[in-house]
Every structure is written in structure tokens, then in C-alpha cells.
Amino acid sequence: MKYFIILTLILALYEFLNKQYLFVVFRDTIFGFRPLDEKFFGGYSGIFRSKVYFEGPLALSQFAIGIALIFRNNIKLLYAILVIAIIANGRLGIVICGVILILYYFKKYDLASILLKPKNILLIILSFVVAVFLALNMLSETSLERLAEAFNTSNEGNSDRIGFWIKGFDMYVNYDILHLMFGNNGTFERVHQNNSENGWLTLLLNNGFLGFIYYFIPIILVVVNRIKHTQIDLLYVILFVGCMFVQTFHLGASANLFYWLIIYSLLKDTYVKI
């Protein structure tokens, strides 16, 4: 997987420098049957978003989040992954990968050692400067404005997402008892031409309460084990759970694989008693 990350970075840089995708997928969208090309994913805003061998840049950004959580203790790979997130121009990916990078230093160096050792302070400042330099030099002004609006609820994209959340919750609470338990796969997307823009809610809508707890129980086990062992790792769990409010880590073969790889990486070196 480490070699795969480096290959992904190289191909993403190749796309970014050439401003052209390696391949383009055609899909039936709300705008009709059309190519998911460079213009579709950001050309209208004057930005380019790499996607490499994924269908679109959001999937590449999700890939960055997943591998950052898995390789959260590998500082060299974390910088490579942050570059991937920046090139994909995924707002959530950039924020989460940046936070994971910060958490690495807090985990490696306790506050006392940071304050008492100038070398550690210099290392952290240098790392911060490098991360900011990468972001400022690889993101256009439009991209930076888009990043700044990531948590602005008045932003059109964010307000639309919240609207889908409300519609999704309303649909689920009005399910009959059978669909409440087992879900009604694909119904929300057929009605609204989109998923609910929320991983946990999409699980409830498509797979019902039973499908939801199948994915959520491992999260509880991780939390219990992290409390017993390394408590700072709870922050990684919070990041992961938070990502699922926007990303759908259970949809698609690669995303689903990453969900369980992340769970395993958080549980390893601990003992789980059921």
C-alpha cells in the first residue's frame, strides 16, 4: 500500500501539471448523460482537481483521508498524502489530513517536551510552514476561497448538503417498520437524484437500523479500547466518525475496504472482549 500511495501521488502530480485526466468516465447525472471530465469537476470555477484512477476527485480525496488515518504514525507518508488531498482539491480531505498531521506531532511530543526543547519547536514550525507553502502554491485563489467556505453553512453547496440531510432524516422516520430495520436501498437516490450526503444517514436509508449498527458497533469497540490504552487516539476516532457525516466510507468496493482497514488499524495492538 505504501508503494501504491507513492504511485498515486506521482500520477496525481502528472494530471495536475498537464491539467488533463488519465481517463474520463461517462455517467447518467442530474445534468443528463455526460462525461465526468475536468470541466465537470471544477473547470467552471477555473480550478483543476486530480482524480487519478478514481471516478472523480472526491473519491481521491476520500482515499487520502482513509490512508492518512491508516498511516497516521508515518510522518513521511502523511506529507505525501496531504499533497494528494491538496491536488484533489477536496476541502474535507485537506482539513482532515492537516489535522492528522498536527495530531502526529502532539502524539510524538508531549507539551512539556515541545516547550522545553527548541529543536522540537523548530521542527513543528518548519512542518507547518511546509504545509502552508504546499497549500498556497498548489491551490489557486478560487480554490483557497472554496477551502475557506468549507464550514460556512450559508455557502450554497453546504446548505444543499444540509437540505439533503433533512430530506434523508425525514424519509427514514417515515419508513414502515420493515424498512426501518432493513432499509430501502436506492429509494432516496431515485427520488432526489443524489445520496443523502451523509454516510451514517445513507446507511440508515439503504440498510436500515441493522445495517447501521453493523458498522457502528466496531466504532464503539474502538472507543472502549482507546480509552483503556492510548487516549489521544480517540481524536482519530472522532475524526473518522465526523468524516462519515460527509463522506460515505461504506459505499463502493474501495471505500468499504478502507472503512474496515481503518477500524482494524485502530483496534490492532489491543484486545477486544465481546
Side-chain angles (χ1 to χ4, degrees), residues 255-268:
N256 200 11
L257 173 63
F258 267 105
Y259 183 93
W260 295 108
L261 285 175
I262 294 167
I263 291 293
Y264 171 75
S265 73
L266 291 168
L267 278 174
K268 70 177 183 179

Side-chain angles (χ1 to χ4, degrees), residues 54 59 62-63 66 215 240 244 247-262:
F54 297 97
Q62 185 180 58
F63 170 78
Y215 279 82
F240 184 38
M244 279 285 284
Q247 298 281 350
T248 49
F249 261 109
H250 64 287
L251 293 180
S254 60
N256 200 11
L257 173 63
F258 267 105
Y259 183 93
W260 295 108
L261 285 175
I262 294 167

